[in-house]
Amino acid sequence: RLTTHQKRIKSMQIENVKEKAHKLLNNLPDSATWEDLMYRIYVREAIEAGLKDSDQGKTVDVTEVRKKFGLSA
C-alpha cells in the first residue's frame, strides 16, 4: 500500500515536463520576472530530488547533521 508521499511522487512522475512547466507558469503572477520563473524551477527540481533521495533511504538524521557541524541537538 502506497503512502500519501509515495502517491504524490508517483503522480509527479506521470506528469511530463511540459505539463509541469505549464503549471509553474500558470501559478506565477502577471508581474513575474524570468528570475522568478527560474527560482520556481530550481525549487521544484530541488524538492523532487529530495523526495527521491528520501524514498531511496539517502537521508541523514538531523541529530547526526547537528553533531557534524557542532550544533546543539
Side-chain angles (χ1 to χ4, degrees):
R1 182 178 165 141
L2 295 176
T3 65
T4 302
H5 173 70
Q6 289 169 326
K7 288 177 186 175
R8 190 178 318 121
I9 288 179
K10 190 159 186 80
S11 172
M12 286 192 304
Q13 290 171 342
I14 292 171
E15 291 180 305
N16 66 33
V17 174
K18 194 172 182 179
E19 289 171 334
K20 291 177 186 180
H22 278 288
K23 284 183 181 181
L24 282 175
L25 287 171
N26 290 337
N27 288 322
L28 285 172
D30 291 338
S31 61
T33 64
W34 284 107
E35 188 174 318
D36 296 331
L37 175 59
M38 296 301 292
Y39 176 75
R40 298 262 177 120
I41 291 169
Y42 165 78
V43 169
R44 174 78 184 228
E45 287 179 333
I47 290 170
E48 287 185 14
L51 292 173
K52 182 179 176 184
D53 284 347
S54 177
D55 284 347
Q56 294 175 349
K58 297 178 183 178
T59 58
V60 178
D61 186 76
V62 69
T63 307
E64 293 177 43
V65 174
R66 289 183 165 282
K67 185 177 177 181
K68 179 178 178 178
F69 290 100
L71 303 171
S72 61

